[in-house]
Each structure stands twice: as C-alpha cells, then as structure tokens.
Amino acid sequence: MEQYDLAVIGSGPGGYVAAIRSAQLGYKTLLIEKYDTLGGACTNVGCIPTKTLLDSTHHYHDAVHKFKAHGIDLDSVQLNFDQMYKRKTEVVLKNTQGLDYLMKKNKITCMQGTASFVDHSTLKITAEDESFITIKADRYIIATGSKPASIPGIIIDKKRIISSTEALSLQEQPKSMIIIGGGVIGVEMASIFNRMGTQVTILEYADQLIANMDHDLGSNLKKILTKEGIEIHLQQSVYKAENVGDYAKVGFKDKNGAEQELEAEYVLMAVGRKANTQNLGLENTDVQLDQRGMVIVNEELQTNVPNIYAIGDVIGGAMLAHKAEEEAVFVVERINGQKPHIHYHRIPSVVYTWPEVASVGSTEEELKQKGVEYSIGKFPFSANARARAGMDTEGFVKVLTDPKYGELLGVHIIGARAADLIAQAVVGLEYEVTANDMARMSYAHPTYAEVLKEAYTIASGRPSLNI
C-alpha cells in the first residue's frame, strides 16, 4: 500500500493549488480526480469556459452595436455559434494541459478515480472499470468542490431543464431561455445568450439582482441588462419546471402571489451550488457535515478528525475559485508550521457581465444592519475621460469609509474593467489604508482607475476636481 505525506481529493483551484504548494514544501503528494481532466468545475465547466464565451459575445455585441460609431463599417456581422463554442473548448484544453504540466513539473502523483475514505488514514480509489487501489496518507485535504443546485421538486434533466454545465455545451444557439436565479451565474449566462440574440428572461426570488452584493450594484445592473433586452422579474417564486419535448415551461408565483407560467426552448437553473460531499465515505470517519451537506471545519480548516482538512466550496462561505486557492495555501503552510492568515472579508467578488461588477469589504446594507456609521464617496464612469473614449460610460464606484479615521470599509464598482480595478481596493482594505491616502496617490491619465481616485477623494471629504 502506497504511503503519502499528503493526499488531496479533487483537482479544482483549491485542490491543484494545495497539491502544488505541498510539493513545493517537500511533501510526497497525491492528487486524486474522478474526471479525466484536471481543473475541477472552474476550469472545465465554470469560470474559464464562461469567461471565454462572455469575451466572445462581448466582441460580437460591440461589432453589432459600437463599431460603426468607432468608424468601423462592416457589411454584415454574423455569429458563428460553432466557432464560438469551439474556441471555448480550445481555451479550456490549454488550461487543463497547463495543469498537467504543473503536476509533472512538481513531481505530483495524479490518480484518476473516485476517492472514498475507508477510515481516518486509508483511502480507496475506484476507477471507472470498478478496479481499485488503497492508499494511506498522513494528512488529507478534501477539495471536491460543488455542483449546480436546484429547487425542491425541480429536476435538472440536462435536456430542456439545464444547469450552467449543459449551457456551456449546447449544440446550437437557443431561440429563447428562462433563467431561474439572478445571482452571479444567472446574470452571466443571461449576458452570454442575450448578446447572441437569444430571448432571455430572468426569474429571481429576491428583490434584487446579485442580492448578496451592495444593492446599488444590483439596481444599476438591472437597468443596464433591461436596456440590453433581457426581461427581468424580481420577487418571483418558482415552484415547477417541466420538459414538454421541444420546449420547457415554468410555473411561478409573482410578487402579488398570482400564479404565472412562461415557456422557452430551455430553462436554465442558476439558483446556486451545493457541496460535493456524497460518496466520499465520510460515514467511515468522524468528519461531520452541517444541514446543507457541507464539511464542518475549525479556524484552521481542520475537521474534527485532526489529519483531515477541507477547503473551498465544500466548507461553504463564498464559492469563489480564488477563495479556495487562498485556503489551499493556508492549510498546507499551516501543516508546515508556518503562520499564514486569511481575511475572508477582504476577498473580492466579481460578476463578469459588461459592465463588470466587483466588490470587496462591507456593503452599505451590512453597515446599516450593524449600526456602523459610514461615509460615502461615489463617482460615475460617465464623468471619466477614458470611459468616454472607450464608449463605456455605464456605472460608478462607491466607496464606504469610517467617518472618524477614513479607513476603507468597502469598495463597490460597476463599470468597465471593474474585475481588474477591484485589486487596488483589496490592497487598501488589506493594509487598512485611508480613503485620503488612496486618493492622494498618483493615477495615470486617462484611465478607468481615475474613477476610484475621485470616489476616494469624495469619501475623504474633499470635492472632486472632475465633476
């Protein structure tokens, strides 16, 4: 029976980063993945293919709606759906090949199969042909990620009622689509298919899109997506979805309790994700799960079995690839005797619509709920020279600060390149910088980053020079 220092179950962003860091620190490392490619949901059916299609459809949308204003005349612009999806597949392949290279470079043993605990120190790895081997490791990291969730009573049949996974593998462009859920996955999928020309309707239970983020962001995003042709209904309670052959239909109650029904070629479930903790053999251990099926861990990300840890989506919190990566390094370095730390409050969230949405720190709603006093600095992209030059004037930056000392409490952006701009705000929160200090740094002109500078200036109590 092969013995390892550390065995990692799952090769998503948390799993492969944990394996690499483990190998770098000199541990004999095993990485186990049940599918035939590394990378988990993020690389294969999540972050990477979704962002690839978002970029492709963004270029198509600009060609149709903006090129003429830029002085670019095209006789006709045609969407090549097959090529768009082919490119998505090629991008995914390059990323998975890169992971294969990293495993070999770091001398990490990789095994394909389903991992199941026999006891606290023994793992059974079963291949597709039902053959299996048994290994032992001093320590284990569970990094099995998550899968699409549904609403009770609604089955994702992968034909007409689909998840984001199936949406990324469609054979032809849908004519119409109902998306149940207006969170991050829902609005990103809505953007992809709406730009293609698909008739898209979003049904959201909450009274806001992207309800977990600052509500100003969701309200502004709703206006933008509605203007682009997406039909959005908030406060809708979906209770059934049915495959009717060539189409699907959805039953729901509107905010007044009246029963409604809609039909579309596809119904896409985007109501969140649930932890992948089934078939892990946890019943053979003392590892505990909460009511949602997530692994319970302490501040060290250690289960109640001292040699078994868990990271990423399986332990809850924000289901973000970069959060899983931070936790991966944290666990391995803790095992190594180092003292890393994670400030969960300073991990940014991003929505890759266009304009992009990004956020870090406290929302205004959270500060109100806690009774925390705050100041606001807000500046629009429409007043920014670079945004005007690029025809990307939608959105704003909203900065929340402590009124006494000026320390940053939260930064919320909806606008061009928000996903990249938020990194500067993360630095400010991580090192407890004041809005005044952030404003007094030099910013290149003309850049989108100057919107941040002006919002910081206003939040610090000084008037903007550009509005």
Side-chain angles (χ1 to χ4, degrees):
M1 189 182 298
E2 192 75 21
Q3 177 79 36
Y4 295 89
D5 297 322
L6 179 65
V8 183
I9 307 170
S11 70
Y16 73 71
V17 169
I20 292 171
R21 189 69 186 117
S22 172
Q24 288 174 341
L25 292 172
Y27 295 117
K28 183 180 180 182
T29 305
L30 172 66
L31 181 63
I32 306 152
E33 173 55 58
K34 68 177 180 179
Y35 295 110
D36 57 3
T37 56
L38 300 178
C42 176
T43 304
N44 292 280
V45 293
C47 318
I48 304 306
T50 302
K51 277 57 187 177
T52 303
L53 289 178
L54 280 163
D55 276 351
S56 294
T57 55
H58 183 197
H59 290 313
Y60 173 67
H61 187 268
D62 278 358
V64 172
H65 297 283
K66 291 186 177 181
F67 275 18
K68 191 172 183 179
H70 282 288
I72 304 170
D73 289 321
L74 301 173
D75 293 334
S76 65
V77 180
Q78 300 295 323
L79 175 73
N80 187 331
F81 183 87
D82 291 341
Q83 173 58 28
M84 193 172 282
Y85 269 58
K86 179 184 176 184
R87 176 178 173 271
K88 177 265 302 179
T89 302
E90 291 170 348
V91 171
V92 170
L93 178 62
K94 287 179 181 178
N95 278 271
T96 56
Q97 288 174 338
L99 293 177
D100 290 337
Y101 166 76
L102 287 172
M103 297 306 113
K104 292 175 182 176
K105 176 185 176 183
N106 288 282
K107 297 180 175 58
I108 296 165
T109 301
C110 295
M111 290 187 187
Q112 184 183 350
T114 301
S116 178
F117 283 96
V118 176
D119 54 41
H120 293 166
S121 62
T122 311
L123 203 66
K124 178 181 176 182
I125 304 169
T126 306
E128 286 186 12
D129 62 4
E130 300 301 322
S131 63
F132 66 89
I133 63 169
T134 306
I135 65 99
K136 282 186 176 292
D138 294 336
R139 293 181 177 86
Y140 293 94
I141 297 177
I142 300 171
T144 46
S146 62
K147 57 186 176 183
S150 186
I151 294 171
I154 297 179
I155 298 173
I156 298 174
D157 64 13
K158 302 184 180 182
K159 296 175 182 177
R160 292 294 171 191
I161 304 170
I162 62 175
S163 70
S164 57
T165 300
E166 291 75 46
L168 294 168
S169 301
L170 292 173
Q171 298 303 304
E172 59 184 8
Q173 179 193 339
K175 296 180 178 64
S176 59
M177 179 179 287
I178 297 168
I179 298 177
I180 301 173
V184 176
I185 296 172
V187 295
E188 288 186 355
M189 286 291 162
S191 293
I192 288 171
F193 290 103
N194 175 66
R195 292 171 190 165
M196 292 181 185
T198 300
Q199 180 185 341
V200 177
T201 302
I202 294 176
L203 300 176
E204 166 57 41
Y205 181 77
D207 61 356
Q208 292 277 335
L209 290 182
I210 52 174
N212 291 332
M213 300 180 82
D214 192 280
H215 286 187
D216 272 357
L217 300 177
S219 297
N220 198 249
L221 181 63
K222 181 178 182 292
K223 292 176 183 178
I224 293 167
L225 296 182
T226 299
K227 187 165 63 177
E228 291 180 354
I230 298 172
E231 192 173 334
I232 300 171
H233 300 282
L234 303 176
Q235 295 177 276
Q236 310 297 306
S237 180
V238 175
Y239 60 87
K240 71 174 182 179
E242 184 181 353
N243 182 339
V244 194
D246 293 336
Y247 65 97
K249 59 182 181 181
V250 173
F252 60 99
K253 292 181 180 179
D254 65 21
K255 61 183 179 181
N256 299 314
E259 293 198 357
Q260 307 282 346
E261 191 171 271
L262 286 176
E263 298 176 353
E265 193 173 357
Y266 291 95
V267 172
L268 194 161
M269 297 298 297
V271 293
R273 298 179 67 84
K274 57 184 179 181
N276 266 328
T277 50
Q278 294 180 330
N279 304 318
L280 274 173
L282 296 179
E283 65 277 6
N284 300 321
T285 72
D286 293 328
V287 173
Q288 295 181 350
L289 304 179
D290 66 14
Q291 293 180 340
R292 297 175 298 164
M294 294 180 176
V295 180
I296 298 173
V297 295
N298 60 20
E299 293 182 355
E300 304 288 319
L301 304 184
Q302 189 176 40
T303 70
N304 54 313
V305 179
N307 68 312
I308 301 177
Y309 299 78
I311 61 174
D313 291 1
V314 290
I315 65 170
M319 289 188 172
L320 302 168
H322 48 284
K323 175 230 182 209
E325 292 176 353
E326 294 297 322
E327 290 173 338
V329 174
F330 174 88
V331 166
V332 176
E333 291 186 351
R334 283 276 176 166
I335 290 170
N336 190 246
Q338 300 181 41
K339 301 295 181 183
H341 67 274
I342 299 177
H343 291 303
Y344 284 102
H345 198 57
R346 299 168 186 174
I347 294 177
S349 296
V350 178
V351 185
Y352 293 88
T353 50
W354 195 264
E356 293 171 336
V357 185
S359 181
V360 65
S362 296
T363 66
E364 187 173 357
E365 291 72 33
E366 289 169 343
L367 295 176
K368 286 179 178 177
Q369 187 177 19
K370 295 175 182 176
V372 176
E373 292 186 4
Y374 59 92
S375 299
I376 298 178
K378 201 170 183 180
F379 194 83
F381 276 75
S382 60
N384 175 266
R386 181 67 182 86
R388 292 195 199 104
M391 294 180 68
D392 282 316
T393 55
E394 298 276 12
F396 57 84
V397 169
K398 177 179 178 180
V399 173
L400 304 173
T401 63
D402 167 48
K404 185 175 182 180
Y405 298 107
E407 182 182 336
L408 295 182
L409 301 176
V411 178
H412 310 283
I413 309 171
I414 178 168
R417 306 301 173 197
D420 299 303
L421 293 175
I422 199 66
Q424 189 233 46
V426 174
V427 173
L429 263 77
E430 182 68 26
Y431 293 100
E432 301 177 354
V433 182
T434 67
N436 186 51
D437 289 335
M438 297 294 280
R440 290 188 181 278
M441 295 187 298
S442 179
Y443 291 66
H445 175 78
T447 59
Y448 293 115
E450 289 175 289
V451 183
L452 275 167
K453 178 183 177 70
E454 299 305 325
Y456 292 136
T457 299
I458 296 167
S460 65
R462 295 184 289 116
S464 166
L465 299 176
N466 287 280
I467 196 170

